[in-house]
Amino acid sequence: MPKPLAYSYIRMSTDVQLKGDSLRRQTEASEAYAAENNLELVRDFELEDIGVSAFKGLNVSQGALGLFLKAVEERLIPSGSYLLVESLDRLSRERPHTATALFLQILEAGVHIVTLADKRLYRSDSNDLADILVSVIIMSRAFEESQTKSMRVSAAWQNKRNNAASRKLTKVAPAWLRLSDDRTAFEIVDQKAALVKKIFEYADEGRGSNQIARKLNVEKVEPITESNGWHESYITKILTNRAAIGEYQPHHYVANKRIPSGDPVLDYYPSIIDREQFDRVQYGRKVRRVRGAGRKGNRHVNLFSGVAKCGYCGASMMVIDKGAKPKGGVYLRCDSARRGFRCDAGSWQLEHFETAFLFFVKELDLTALLNSKGQKAERQQLETSTLNKRSQRDAALGQRDKLLELLLQPSASASYFVEKVDELSGKISTLECEIGVLHEQVSKLTALSTDAQVDVLDWIRSIKTENDGVENRIRIADWIRLNIRELIVFPDGLDGEQAATAAERLSPAGRRQFSVSFENGVFRTVRLQGSDPTSFEFAVYADEAGWELENEDGSVEEWKDPVIDSE
């Protein structure tokens, strides 16, 4: 007759126990009991939960004990088998009714439980009420011990947080800091902090994490941690780490997941980045995620990635490199047309389109954006304030949308939610007005005079050079993604039939067109004329004051839409 099977379950909640004698003790006790009671100890079904808590039931929901229970339910474990544990608190340290239910579940499945510490046998076929009472008392005590320990640990950490200003919680710190010998402050590691500042400057210029990592690797800059070069993920970690502005966010674990615990501790670390720059970088990263981050290579930085759309079908406009001239060249083309999918729009030579865009879209002040002198500091401050207001507005819009969803629930308190929606709507309106005022101030700074147009052409030529061109193109591309809501491109004009060849499109009769709308509500559309990207048939500008039509001779008049006015 075969021996009954015995399964040894070993659980240790910390690595300290593993390094000590707990593993050996539990293993030897299982082997000894099996030998003394003529049981066959199963060795190919490992039942070990190392570093897994039984207080929160993780050994059942995520650990080896849960796998054992599943095997019992599926009758893979023979009835009459034995589960060997050091004590009942190894099975569970949850609330008594939860722990008792687990204990009875195992017995009901036909598996006997043995506690090795006292060699007590709880038989699955027993009707002894004393066994159940003893198990409840033991597991109740285990829960109380774990709960007390948890409260003490939480209180200790809370006390550390309360005294964080005078004594630091832990020596763990960002790579650019180190804890002082007396543990009262963090000291800045100058060389590493300077590199972190440079990374934020790169991001503030519009570079993404991949571009920054590549630049640092190409320039052979040593990482601030032990690593085989710079990685995109680590650059992202630096740029999103609020420790750069001095904040520390305590965490705790719930269901084996690290989640924030309480409010951030302000001024816990020495700040190495201005709050304004940090917020500006976060908003820029958010916008680039939505509108596209552009090409990651260095040959062509697509100024219009994620923004430019085909005026005929709405697909994205892509940069297409057809090789060296005269037969090749670099073009902007509708992606659907490129694939031959429901669009036959022609392409627009990239250099021609860029020149036209940068020349006519006067909201983009190249001189102020690319020149380190003049109004750059004032403009940057205004744009930072605008980005902060936009973030607040977007957050309020999200909150209002959630409240409107809750209002549709049958149990919703209509009066309460309506009041909150009205409150948020008022806040949104106020923020919209403040954003409008800031845009007005930026517009005054970026208004270009006729005399400055020569400088604009110089700047346009400069972004095509090998050295500074890439750096400046990145700045321009980032400005476009942050400020332009929509850019609609008509490579073949709006004259009904599209031009068949590039020669027709660039002929005096060819009238290519593009329209751009900005986050501040300003709208501009330009119809070009001929092959000169700075020559136009007309340019329409619109803001809250109305529409203006700029003619080729430079005259400005009120513009009326012929379609609307004819109705």
Side-chain angles (χ1 to χ4, degrees):
M1 184 175 179
K3 298 178 181 179
L5 301 180
Y7 297 83
S8 175
Y9 174 63
I10 297 173
R11 185 190 64 77
M12 290 173 289
S13 59
T14 66
D15 290 337
V16 175
Q17 291 176 308
L18 179 62
K19 294 175 183 176
D21 199 43
S22 183
L23 179 60
R24 180 201 58 78
R25 185 182 67 251
Q26 292 185 56
T27 302
E28 289 183 356
S30 295
E31 292 173 344
Y33 186 89
E36 291 171 5
N37 293 274
N38 198 30
L39 304 176
E40 182 180 344
L41 188 61
V42 177
R43 300 181 184 275
D44 58 357
F45 193 132
E46 239 181 47
L47 278 174
E48 292 183 0
D49 281 324
I50 309 299
V52 179
S53 173
F55 178 49
K56 299 174 181 178
L58 296 182
N59 59 330
V60 176
S61 62
Q62 302 176 18
L65 184 59
L67 295 177
F68 177 79
L69 294 175
K70 185 176 181 182
V72 169
E73 290 176 1
E74 295 175 354
R75 301 189 181 280
L76 300 176
I77 305 296
S79 180
S81 297
Y82 290 73
L83 179 63
L84 311 182
V85 296
E86 186 176 45
S87 58
L88 289 180
D89 64 2
R90 296 294 175 183
L91 288 179
S92 177
R93 282 180 171 267
E94 293 188 273
R95 297 181 181 279
H97 60 274
T98 303
T100 303
L102 173 64
F103 173 80
L104 295 175
Q105 177 187 350
I106 297 172
L107 294 181
E108 284 292 325
V111 176
H112 312 304
I113 299 175
V114 174
T115 51
L116 299 170
D118 57 5
K119 295 187 177 180
R120 186 181 183 97
L121 170 62
Y122 300 88
R123 296 190 60 85
S124 64
D125 53 0
S126 172
N127 294 320
D128 191 347
L129 184 60
D131 284 347
I132 298 177
L133 294 176
V134 168
S135 69
V136 171
I137 293 170
I138 293 173
M139 289 187 284
S140 177
R141 186 165 60 243
F143 169 73
E144 290 172 359
E145 290 173 355
S146 292
Q147 189 178 44
T148 300
K149 180 181 177 182
S150 177
M151 292 172 62
R152 286 174 179 169
V153 170
S154 297
W157 272 100
Q158 186 59 50
N159 184 56
K160 286 184 177 183
R161 294 188 191 102
N162 294 338
N163 295 289
S166 59
R167 190 169 183 82
K168 301 309 175 186
L169 281 72
T170 171
K171 68 178 182 179
V172 177
W176 59 88
L177 301 174
R178 60 170 169 253
L179 186 62
S180 61
D181 293 337
D182 60 3
R183 297 180 65 88
T184 61
F186 287 101
E187 301 168 347
I188 297 175
V189 182
D190 292 334
Q191 186 175 359
K192 293 182 177 181
L195 190 49
V196 172
K197 291 178 182 178
K198 178 61 68 175
I199 289 171
F200 270 91
E201 288 175 10
Y202 288 150
D204 206 6
E205 292 170 358
R207 294 180 184 271
S209 296
N210 182 280
Q211 290 176 320
I212 296 172
R214 189 178 189 282
K215 181 176 177 64
L216 295 175
N217 286 328
V218 168
E219 295 177 355
K220 295 182 170 53
V221 177
E222 286 293 322
I224 60 176
T225 59
E226 292 185 7
S227 175
N228 59 336
W230 292 91
H231 296 269
E232 179 182 0
S233 59
Y234 190 63
I235 297 295
T236 298
K237 184 177 179 180
I238 289 175
L239 292 175
T240 55
N241 191 347
R242 301 186 70 85
I245 56 174
E247 291 185 14
Y248 170 70
Q249 175 62 66
H251 288 78
H252 68 278
Y253 286 88
V254 173
N256 227 22
K257 291 183 179 179
R258 190 168 179 263
I259 64 171
S261 175
D263 296 328
V265 181
L266 304 181
D267 301 320
Y268 179 79
Y269 298 115
S271 174
I272 64 170
I273 301 296
D274 291 338
R275 177 63 179 266
E276 291 78 10
Q277 185 184 44
F278 185 87
D279 289 343
R280 198 163 56 241
V281 168
Q282 305 317 306
Y283 188 85
R285 288 174 57 82
K286 176 184 175 182
V287 171
R288 283 190 290 274
R289 281 196 300 271
V290 174
R291 297 182 181 169
R295 291 187 55 167
K296 300 181 186 294
N298 282 334
R299 186 175 179 191
H300 299 298
V301 176
N302 183 0
L303 302 182
F304 314 106
S305 176
V307 178
K309 305 294 182 183
C310 174
Y312 309 115
C313 72
S316 296
M317 299 294 289
M318 314 292 290
V319 171
I320 308 298
D321 190 343
K322 296 185 178 181
K325 293 182 178 181
K327 293 185 177 180
V330 182
Y331 296 85
L332 196 65
R333 192 175 188 198
C334 167
D335 186 52
S336 291
R338 179 186 65 83
R339 296 184 291 115
F341 180 70
R342 297 179 181 175
C343 188
D344 56 357
S347 55
W348 195 332
Q349 190 178 29
L350 184 62
E351 183 177 351
H352 187 278
F353 177 75
E354 283 184 354
T355 302
F357 178 90
L358 297 173
F359 185 82
F360 287 110
V361 179
K362 298 178 181 180
E363 290 75 14
L364 171 51
D365 185 351
L366 289 176
T367 304
L369 182 66
L370 304 181
N371 197 343
S372 59
K373 300 177 182 179
Q375 303 165 332
K376 183 176 180 180
E378 185 179 357
R379 177 194 178 112
Q380 191 175 64
Q381 184 177 1
L382 287 171
E383 289 183 341
T384 298
S385 299
T386 304
L387 295 177
N388 289 336
K389 296 294 183 184
R390 281 192 202 164
S391 295
Q392 294 176 40
R393 178 200 62 192
D394 293 345
L397 284 169
Q399 292 173 10
R400 188 175 67 178
D401 289 344
K402 289 181 180 178
L403 284 172
L404 289 172
E405 290 179 7
L406 291 172
L407 189 57
L408 298 176
Q409 301 298 320
S411 59
S413 173
S415 58
Y416 171 80
F417 286 119
V418 168
E419 181 183 345
K420 292 296 180 183
V421 168
D422 289 343
E423 182 181 320
L424 283 169
S425 296
K427 181 179 180 180
I428 292 166
S429 298
T430 301
L431 287 168
E432 291 284 8
C433 292
E434 293 173 350
I435 291 170
V437 171
L438 289 168
H439 277 304
E440 180 81 19
Q441 294 173 351
V442 172
S443 297
K444 290 179 180 178
L445 286 178
T446 58
L448 292 175
S449 65
T450 306
D451 296 336
Q453 288 187 347
V454 176
D455 294 333
V456 172
L457 290 174
D458 287 340
W459 280 116
I460 292 172
R461 283 189 287 270
S462 76
I463 69 170
K464 300 168 187 175
T465 62
E466 289 295 328
N467 296 327
D468 295 333
V470 172
E471 303 287 335
N472 287 335
R473 290 177 70 84
I474 289 173
R475 291 190 182 98
I476 295 170
D478 198 51
W479 186 95
I480 289 172
R481 282 190 290 270
L482 288 173
N483 292 279
I484 292 182
R485 181 179 299 162
E486 193 173 48
L487 171 60
I488 305 300
V489 182
F490 300 92
D492 304 310
L494 282 175
D495 294 333
E497 295 185 7
Q498 297 172 5
T501 66
E504 290 178 14
R505 287 190 293 273
L506 294 178
S507 69
R511 297 187 294 179
R512 292 175 160 179
Q513 183 170 316
F514 67 86
S515 301
V516 55
S517 61
F518 294 86
E519 290 289 349
N520 61 353
V522 168
F523 174 86
R524 186 182 290 278
T525 188
V526 178
R527 176 175 291 181
L528 302 178
Q529 189 171 44
S531 59
D532 182 358
T534 65
S535 176
F536 68 104
E537 181 179 339
F538 70 80
V540 175
Y541 171 84
D543 60 13
E544 293 180 353
W547 296 73
E548 290 183 350
L549 174 65
E550 183 178 351
N551 297 307
E552 188 178 7
D553 60 5
S555 62
V556 176
E557 59 184 90
E558 183 181 358
W559 184 76
K560 296 182 179 180
D561 190 318
V563 176
I564 295 176
D565 292 344
S566 65
E567 293 179 351

